[in-house]
Amino acid sequence: MAKINAIELRNTAYKVRESVIRMATGGGNFVGSSLSCADIMVFLYFHFLNINKDNLNDPTRDYMFLSKGHNVSVLYATLAEAGIISKDRLRNHLSINDFIYWQPNINIPGIEFHSGSLGHLLSIGTGAAMDCKLRNQNNKVVVLMGDGELNEGSVWETALVAGSKKVDNLVVIVDRNKFQANSGTEELIKLESISDKFKSFRWSVRTADGHDFMSLSRAFARIPMEAGKPSLIIANTIRGKGLPSIESRSDKWFADFTGEEIESLLKELYKV
Ligand SMILES: Cc1ncc(C[n+]2csc(CCOP(=O)(O)OP(=O)(O)O)c2C)c(N)n1
C-alpha cells in the first residue's frame, strides 16, 4: 500500500460529509449512520482499493460492496469525489427519474450490486471473492456492513462458509457505531464479542478507530491478515461524526433538514 496522506484524506472526507449533509433534505437521508462511515469510505476509495473511473470494466480491479445500503448517500458522495459519477447527479438523490435513489442500484457506475435489504451483500461479496480466487486473480473484495446488520442470520451462514473455504481475499469492515436504527445494539440483541464470534468461525480480526486514517491504515496494512483466513475489521465509529449537534443521537439516524438547517450544519461541519 502507498504511504498514507492523512491530510488529503481528511480534506476529501470533509467534501464527502458536505455532500451527505446536502442530500439530507427534500425527503431526507440516513445522515447519522452515513457520517459514521464517511472516513471509512474515503480511506477505502482514496487509499486502499484499486478502483477508479478508468478501471471499472477491468475484472482484476478490487470490489467494494456496500451491504448497509441505506447509507448509499456516502457511497454516492465518495464516487462523485472519485470522479466515477458526476457531482451534479447528487442533486437527483430522491428523484424517481434517476437510478440515484434510496438504495444502491447496479445501474450507477461504481455500484457493484443492489442492496437495501440488509444481510445480503456478505454472501454476494464472498461469492465474488471466491470467483476471483478460482480465476487466480489477487484482487481484494471489501464488504462494508452495519453492526446491527450482523443480526441477520444469513451473515453467519456466510461467515461460516468464508472461514471454512479460506476466502482470504475477502475483507469485511463493520461500522461499529453501536446503534441499530434508533436503539443501542447491545440493548436490542447483544452482539459482543463480535471478535470472538468471527474468530471461532476461522476469521482473522482487528479493531480500528474508524475516524482515524492511520488506525485504519494499520488495520488494513496486511491483507490477508493471516493466510487462509478472511479478514474482519471492526471499525469503532460515532454516529453523526463531524456534526457535534447530532453525534450519537438516536433521533438523528435519519433526518430531513430544511434548507436553513443544512446551511447551519455546514457551518458546524467547517467550524465557521
Ligand atoms: C432485511 C432488513 N430488515 C430491516 C431493514 C430496515 N432497516 C434499515 S437500516 C436498519 C438498521 C440497521 O442497523 P445498522 O446495521 O447498525 O445500521 P445503522 O444503525 O448504522 O444505520 C434497519 C433495521 C432492512 N433494510 N433490511
Side-chain angles (χ1 to χ4, degrees):
M1 233 189 327
K3 201 166 173 286
I4 195 156
N5 186 337
I7 294 173
E8 216 167 274
L9 293 179
R10 203 175 72 110
N11 290 339
T12 306
Y14 269 110
K15 292 189 214 156
V16 165
R17 283 195 162 85
E18 174 173 342
S19 295
V20 168
I21 295 164
R22 287 193 187 280
M23 281 184 266
T25 189
N29 173 2
F30 293 91
V31 65
S33 57
S34 295
L35 293 177
S36 75
C37 56
D39 297 310
I40 295 170
M41 292 293 272
V42 168
F43 173 82
L44 290 174
Y45 280 87
F46 291 88
H47 186 71
F48 181 69
L49 291 168
N50 173 26
I51 301 178
N52 59 60
K53 63 180 171 28
D54 300 319
N55 73 357
L56 293 180
N57 295 322
D58 175 357
T60 65
R61 70 171 171 88
D62 294 335
Y63 294 91
M64 206 304 284
F65 293 89
L66 179 69
S67 198
K68 51 175 342 219
H70 58 290
N71 292 145
V72 71
S73 66
V74 72
L75 177 54
Y76 293 152
T78 308
L79 293 176
E81 286 306 321
I84 294 175
I85 59 172
S86 106
K87 288 189 182 174
D88 289 347
R89 215 168 164 191
L90 299 183
R91 285 200 292 267
N92 295 349
H93 177 56
L94 302 183
S95 153
I96 53 165
N97 298 318
D98 194 330
F99 285 117
I100 285 228
Y101 200 55
W102 277 98
Q103 305 285 358
N105 186 304
I106 202 164
N107 291 296
I108 304 284
I111 291 195
E112 318 286 13
F113 207 77
H114 304 288
S115 55
S117 182
L118 296 167
H120 292 299
L121 263 54
L122 179 55
S123 44
I124 300 288
T126 301
M130 289 170 96
D131 182 64
C132 293
K133 278 182 91 75
L134 283 171
R135 293 168 198 268
N136 291 320
Q137 294 170 187
N138 63 356
N139 33 352
K140 294 171 291 295
V141 176
V142 173
V143 181
L144 174 59
M145 307 191 68
D147 46 6
E149 183 182 11
L150 298 180
N151 290 336
E152 295 290 341
S154 58
V155 170
W156 300 102
E157 292 177 42
T158 313
L160 195 56
V161 171
S164 168
K165 298 292 176 194
K166 304 183 176 177
V167 189
D168 62 2
N169 54 340
L170 174 69
V171 192
V172 170
I173 179 157
V174 172
D175 177 7
R176 184 70 174 118
N177 59 29
K178 299 197 172 64
F179 279 100
Q180 174 174 336
N182 297 320
S183 310
T185 56
E186 301 313 287
E187 278 103 66
L188 274 175
I189 299 177
K190 291 197 185 311
L191 276 172
E192 292 298 346
S193 155
I194 298 173
S195 170
D196 288 348
K197 287 183 178 69
F198 275 86
K199 281 181 184 165
S200 76
F201 282 28
R202 301 185 180 86
W203 286 58
S204 302
V205 183
R206 278 202 196 139
T207 54
D209 177 337
H211 301 303
D212 176 342
F213 295 116
M214 301 309 288
S215 174
L216 287 168
S217 170
R218 282 192 293 275
F220 278 87
R222 210 182 56 187
I223 300 293
M225 294 172 194
E226 286 176 88
K229 290 187 176 187
S231 302
L232 175 78
I233 293 167
I234 303 169
N236 290 313
T237 59
I238 296 170
R239 267 238 306 240
K241 176 71 180 177
L243 296 177
S245 65
I246 71 160
E247 276 179 13
S248 299
R249 273 179 53 179
S250 59
D251 61 335
K252 295 293 182 212
W253 170 56
F254 178 90
D256 187 3
F257 296 115
T258 64
E260 271 177 25
E261 285 170 325
I262 297 279
E263 291 314 313
S264 119
L265 288 170
L266 290 177
K267 285 191 181 138
E268 187 180 338
L269 176 72
Y270 291 110
K271 299 176 186 71
V272 288

